Amino acid sequence: MHIQDSGKEFEKRALAVARAIYDPSGTQGPVIYQGREHDGAFVNDRSIAVFEFTTSRTKQKAIKDATKISDLLRHLQGIPDNRFKMAQGYFVTADEPDAEQRKAVEAVAKSSNMHIVCMSLLTLRRQLIDSENYIALRRKAPFGSTGFKLTTTNPKTRNAQYIEPILEDITSGGTLSLEEVVEAASNGDRFVLIADFGSGKSEALRQAFERLRKRHFKDAATQRIPLHINLNDCFGLRSPAEVIRRHSEDIGFPGQDSLVAAWRSDACILLLDGFDELVPYRWVGGARDLRQVRRSALEPVRRLIADSSPECGVIIAGRPQYFASNSELLETLALTGGRVLTIHDFNTEQVQQFTGLDATLPSWIPPRPLLLKFLLQNEFFEDLPNLAYSGAEAWLDIIDVVARREADRISTVTPDNVRKLIARISSLARGGRGQLGPVAIKDMRSAFHEVCGYEAEEEGIQLLLRLPGLGATNPKQGDEEERYFIDSDLADAAYGIDLASYISAPYSRHPLSSSVSWNTSTGTISADVCAAELTRIGFDSNITSGAIKKRLDDQFFDSILFDTVAVSSHLGTKPSNGLFPFFDEILVPRITLSGDDGYLSHATFKDCVIETLDVTEFDNSNTFPTFHSCLIGKIDGWSQLPASYQDRFVECDIEEFSSTSQTTSGLLQLPIAENDKVALVVLKKVYAQAGSGRKFHALARGLPLSERSRVPDVVQELVSMGYLSRATAKGNDIILPLKARRKDVVAVLSNPGSFSLSALKQ
């Protein structure tokens, strides 16, 4: 659908264009002369302009209206003050006038000795604005964050393939395609597109601009001009006209006033990118004041939308965490009745299409266009088998590029401080009601002061409100606003960076150097990233021993101590004599033991909760931790406690063991081929924990010596069939699970007696 072309609606649109050209103040318009209504008459210091608008295509209508125009022009010219003003008449049609209409108007003009022209609304609009020049210049300028340079030292030249996003309608439910949104906006509907960093908001608006551009050039008479504005460029502005003029200046469009006039005449459709990027004023108060800060910062945007014609479509995009609720978002942007959309992360198929890779990608790969584009351009995918097994190095680079991208939009905060701030807030989030938060805004401001050395003012507040990876809670009236991490992998990776800053200087005044309020340890990603960060900044494996000793000396037997011990295991730290970790009342989601676990092998757990104790890699070592009065959800790899380790479990409550058929010994007793048995053991070990791999040499642990020689060939066969992938990390050969295969492997392990490698190939 498009702008209607008939009757009163056409006259209204045409009058708006005429008024924008001859009377921007809007004080003149239709007049009555000699008992007849004239559609428009405008008199200024230099000229007289009289208009008649029609959807009719008849010759008789042209003669009638041209005669009316000539009569009114003669009357207006006869007024003494108008004697030396240029007089012009316009007979304006909805469609291009035909030859008969043109001849009729020319005849009336000649006989009356008046200057009257016959033209379409499109031709009249061209006097208002050169839309072709505007669109050409706009296409050359950046579209929000799509202009951000992702590449580092070794950029790829090929571009990622654009993938149509899946847009969820939060307001009414269901999903929409981008084409459906463009169609609805062309018809006057209004949308807010919210999604976190890297999800493709700016690219979606750029694609919408391109589609609206094609519509406009295909039918310029009825399709509005797409007006795409980067709101980040509008700091300090107050009025809609200032916003549009600044936009014109930024892209080099000379007709600033004509673009304002085009907007006022309902000739535009608004595409507004980055409502969260307008810098608010200084905030010193509470939650209610923060809402006012946002309202003040977005005043020009709100007025731009509110002052637009009701038929003007709007698509505006930004991060959801900037506002405390969608209702505040819609009210602040003058979009009451608008629809809120969000962008889904890519699914596995879309990731493969975007990257152009047919290979099954590791499970840690972030499913967002910006991050995938970064990985693609920096050749992370050039050698898929050698991707780090948990993506630790990639996550460090991803957080680096996220920090650079945020600092690129804010002049007063360096990329390094943005990186530190994300990491510090991830630590604060662990002290919330869960691993991901929430974190109060006031605590985020304190973190900003710790990291940057000064209070968060205008741009600092903006950074906190739109910090990537965070979502906003919906507080009750007057309550403090809070933020939480919406991406657990990003939160864990960022926490790994902050943990590394503590471990590297355990005697400093780092927040993690004291006792913390949370009792839940972190996961594999944090430990991997922390180890990679320590290695990157030049520390060897022994650095963790100092942090472990300091924490034990301070009698902090908490989750930070466990996280530090976990990092030491990843680094392969050799335990110091007499240094035995002790943990009291902590919750550990998973402990994986191999018999070669450094400090962890000598640790004691008291009154702790361990959700899963994984001994599938354990190789009957003499070293094994001790558990006193602990609750253990499941021991994975044993069907019961071996007699030789019963003294290591003192007054413990173990809820579940692996079934005999799911243990290594049970799988090895199945009546299937030997290689099939080994394949089941390997698959079970590798897929035991989502998102992480296993060291190749550990896969043979627990197997009889006679079966260990089969592991290399079995692993190679599973890799060739696309069920496993190989990687190299810190000199170790790592075997990775593949996200796309997890469902298949779970099905295989649920019915191991019918498994065969030959059937898996089919």
Side-chain angles (χ1 to χ4, degrees):
M1 297 181 67
H2 56 257
I3 303 171
Q4 297 298 314
D5 283 343
S6 60
K8 294 297 183 182
E9 292 182 357
F10 168 72
E11 292 180 10
K12 179 181 177 182
R13 290 191 298 107
L15 178 62
V17 174
R19 181 175 283 140
I21 298 172
Y22 289 99
D23 180 36
S25 63
T27 60
Q28 302 179 74
V31 297
I32 301 293
Y33 174 64
Q34 292 183 345
R36 295 185 297 181
E37 181 178 1
H38 294 259
D39 292 337
F42 304 94
V43 180
N44 58 34
D45 292 341
R46 296 183 179 181
S47 65
I48 302 168
V50 173
F51 290 86
E52 291 294 332
F53 310 118
T54 183
T55 58
S56 172
R57 300 186 61 80
T58 67
K59 178 180 177 180
Q60 290 72 21
K61 178 64 171 174
I63 295 172
K64 177 183 176 182
D65 282 0
T67 302
K68 288 173 60 179
I69 291 172
S70 68
D71 291 345
L72 183 55
L73 283 174
R74 183 174 292 106
H75 166 71
L76 293 174
Q77 271 194 317
I79 298 173
D81 289 346
N82 297 337
R83 283 180 299 173
F84 301 107
K85 295 178 181 178
M86 182 181 69
Q88 176 76 56
Y90 296 90
F91 174 71
V92 182
T93 58
D95 299 310
E96 191 66 23
D98 59 25
E100 290 296 319
Q101 286 180 311
R102 290 185 187 277
K103 287 177 62 177
V105 172
E106 289 172 3
V108 172
K110 185 176 181 180
S111 64
S112 62
N113 197 28
M114 291 292 173
H115 191 193
I116 306 173
V117 296
C118 177
M119 65 175 59
S120 67
L121 176 59
L122 174 58
T123 303
L124 178 65
R125 184 181 288 164
R126 285 173 179 158
Q127 297 183 25
L128 171 63
I129 181 172
D130 183 355
S131 62
E132 293 185 11
N133 189 31
Y134 165 73
I135 289 175
L137 291 170
R138 183 65 193 88
R139 295 183 77 197
K140 295 178 181 178
F143 285 81
S145 61
T146 62
F148 177 72
K149 293 179 174 59
L150 290 166
T151 54
T152 54
T153 58
N154 196 17
K156 286 291 294 178
T157 56
R158 67 187 180 96
N159 292 321
Q161 178 183 352
Y162 176 70
I163 303 298
E164 188 84 7
I166 299 174
L167 304 175
E168 180 184 354
D169 190 337
I170 299 176
T171 307
S172 58
T175 59
L176 294 170
S177 67
L178 183 59
E179 186 61 33
E180 288 173 324
V181 172
V182 168
E183 175 72 21
S186 298
N187 202 32
D189 287 2
R190 298 182 171 188
F191 298 93
V192 182
L193 179 59
I194 58 173
D196 199 38
F197 81 102
S199 298
K201 300 182 298 297
S202 292
E203 181 62 30
L205 258 65
R206 189 180 77 85
Q207 292 290 333
F209 177 88
E210 288 297 323
R211 298 178 192 198
L212 289 166
R213 173 187 70 86
K214 293 177 181 178
R215 286 169 175 253
H216 175 70
F217 286 148
K218 184 176 181 180
D219 188 3
T222 63
Q223 295 290 340
R224 293 180 174 90
I225 304 165
L227 177 57
H228 183 293
I229 300 176
N230 295 328
L231 296 178
N232 179 262
D233 301 326
C234 300
F235 171 65
L237 305 182
R238 285 291 176 268
S239 71
E242 287 179 324
V243 170
I244 295 173
R245 290 192 180 100
R246 172 72 63 80
H247 169 65
S248 300
E249 180 182 346
D250 288 339
I251 67 172
F253 181 61
Q256 297 183 12
D257 290 338
S258 69
L259 193 58
V260 174
W263 164 68
R264 291 195 184 280
S265 67
D266 190 26
C268 298
I269 180 171
L270 296 179
L271 303 175
L272 309 173
D273 190 9
F275 62 71
D276 57 309
E277 296 185 24
L278 278 174
V279 178
Y281 298 109
R282 186 174 183 179
W283 170 55
V284 295
R288 183 173 301 176
D289 295 327
L290 184 53
R291 284 191 287 272
Q292 185 58 42
V293 163
R294 285 189 288 257
R295 186 172 180 85
S296 297
L298 287 163
E299 179 184 357
V301 181
R302 180 171 57 257
R303 290 182 58 188
L304 178 63
I305 296 172
D307 292 352
S308 297
S309 162
E311 290 78 31
C312 173
V314 177
I315 308 176
I316 182 170
R319 295 183 184 174
Q321 63 265 37
Y322 187 79
F323 287 99
S325 65
N326 286 342
S327 59
E328 183 198 354
L329 181 156
L330 292 171
E331 189 275 331
T332 302
L333 295 176
L335 285 171
T336 303
R339 296 158 70 182
V340 180
L341 309 177
T342 189
I343 300 179
H344 285 283
D345 283 347
F346 281 169
N347 56 35
T348 301
E349 181 181 355
Q350 288 175 312
V351 170
Q352 292 178 339
Q353 290 176 349
F354 186 85
T355 59
L357 298 170
D358 294 330
T360 304
L361 299 174
S363 57
W364 63 263
I365 296 295
R368 292 186 181 174
L370 176 75
L371 303 183
L372 288 170
K373 186 177 181 181
F374 166 73
L375 295 173
L376 188 70
Q377 290 183 348
N378 288 276
E379 299 186 336
F380 277 90
F381 297 132
E382 288 302 290
D383 189 7
L384 280 174
N386 286 319
L387 284 172
Y389 67 101
S390 67
E393 291 290 343
W395 270 115
L396 286 176
D397 286 339
I398 286 170
I399 293 176
D400 285 347
V401 80
V402 168
R404 284 197 303 109
R405 181 173 179 265
E406 293 305 298
D408 187 61
R409 316 297 284 178
I410 295 177
S411 61
T412 58
V413 186
T414 66
D416 185 56
N417 279 344
V418 175
R419 184 181 191 265
K420 291 177 181 177
L421 186 61
I422 295 172
R424 182 60 47 80
I425 290 175
S426 70
S427 292
L428 293 176
R430 300 179 67 78
R433 294 186 288 273
Q435 293 283 77
L436 305 180
V439 183
I441 295 290
K442 65 179 181 181
D443 293 330
M444 293 173 65
R445 294 185 69 187
S446 297
F448 185 97
H449 185 270
E450 290 175 6
V451 168
C452 299
Y454 58 89
E455 294 292 339
E457 296 185 348
E458 287 88 351
E459 289 195 326
I461 294 169
Q462 179 199 1
L463 174 64
L464 292 176
L465 292 180
R466 64 187 299 272
L467 202 68
L470 296 178
T473 59
N474 190 0
K476 297 179 181 179
Q477 185 70 26
D479 286 353
E480 174 77 13
E481 283 194 22
E482 298 174 318
R483 297 292 187 269
Y484 64 95
F485 277 88
I486 59 176
D487 187 318
S488 60
D489 287 350
L490 175 64
D492 287 347
Y495 171 68
I497 293 174
D498 204 39
L499 184 63
S501 70
Y502 158 66
I503 292 175
S504 64
Y507 291 87
S508 68
R509 297 184 62 184
H510 194 286
L512 296 181
S513 63
S514 59
S515 180
V516 295
S517 61
W518 63 90
N519 63 356
T520 303
S521 69
T522 188
T524 303
I525 291 178
S526 296
D528 283 352
V529 169
C530 180
E533 174 79 351
L534 289 170
T535 301
R536 178 180 285 192
I537 58 182
F539 290 99
D540 61 27
S541 60
N542 293 324
I543 187 65
T544 56
S545 296
I548 292 172
K549 183 178 187 305
K550 176 67 166 59
R551 211 150 192 92
L552 290 173
D553 289 345
D554 291 339
Q555 297 187 11
F556 297 151
F557 310 128
D558 57 5
S559 57
I560 303 299
L561 175 61
F562 182 86
D563 293 342
T564 306
V565 169
V567 172
S568 75
S569 295
H570 281 261
L571 289 172
T573 307
K574 299 300 181 183
S576 299
N577 292 332
L579 199 57
F580 304 112
F582 176 82
F583 307 106
D584 185 27
E585 295 185 352
I586 66 171
L587 188 154
V588 184
R590 190 180 194 93
I591 299 176
T592 300
L593 299 174
S594 66
D596 184 21
D597 304 300
Y599 284 110
L600 186 59
S601 297
H602 303 278
T604 297
F605 294 82
K606 184 177 183 298
D607 294 321
C608 297
V609 177
I610 294 97
E611 294 179 1
T612 301
L613 178 61
D614 185 351
V615 294
T616 56
E617 290 184 8
F618 188 68
D619 204 11
N620 298 321
S621 170
N622 291 327
T623 56
F624 194 90
T626 300
F627 301 90
H628 279 279
S629 303
C630 292
L631 173 62
I632 302 174
K634 181 179 181 180
I635 297 184
D636 190 3
W638 287 343
S639 59
Q640 59 183 2
L641 283 180
S644 55
Y645 294 103
Q646 287 185 1
D647 62 337
R648 300 289 184 171
F649 297 85
V650 180
E651 297 181 358
C652 290
D653 185 359
I654 302 171
E655 295 184 346
E656 181 184 0
F657 290 91
S658 293
S659 64
T660 301
S661 63
Q662 293 293 319
T663 64
T664 297
S665 60
L667 293 173
L668 293 175
Q669 294 174 20
L670 293 171
I672 57 178
E674 296 303 314
N675 275 9
D676 294 340
K677 297 176 185 178
V678 173
L680 285 170
V681 172
V682 168
L683 289 172
K684 184 179 187 303
K685 288 184 177 182
V686 173
Y687 281 86
Q689 184 173 343
S692 182
R694 296 289 180 126
K695 295 177 181 178
F696 175 76
H697 67 79
L699 297 178
R701 289 176 177 158
L703 290 172
L705 293 176
S706 59
E707 302 296 331
R708 295 188 180 190
S709 61
R710 299 179 184 273
V711 172
D713 290 340
V714 167
V715 168
Q716 185 56 44
E717 191 166 4
L718 289 170
V719 169
S720 66
M721 289 190 294
Y723 280 81
L724 299 175
S725 180
R726 303 185 85 113
T728 301
K730 299 188 285 289
N732 294 308
D733 190 10
I734 307 298
I735 307 302
L736 296 100
L738 297 170
K739 188 175 183 179
R741 291 294 194 181
R742 181 168 295 279
K743 184 177 179 180
D744 297 334
V745 171
V746 169
V748 164
L749 294 175
S750 66
N751 187 22
S754 61
F755 173 78
S756 72
L757 282 167
S758 58
L760 207 60
K761 296 178 183 179
Q762 300 175 359

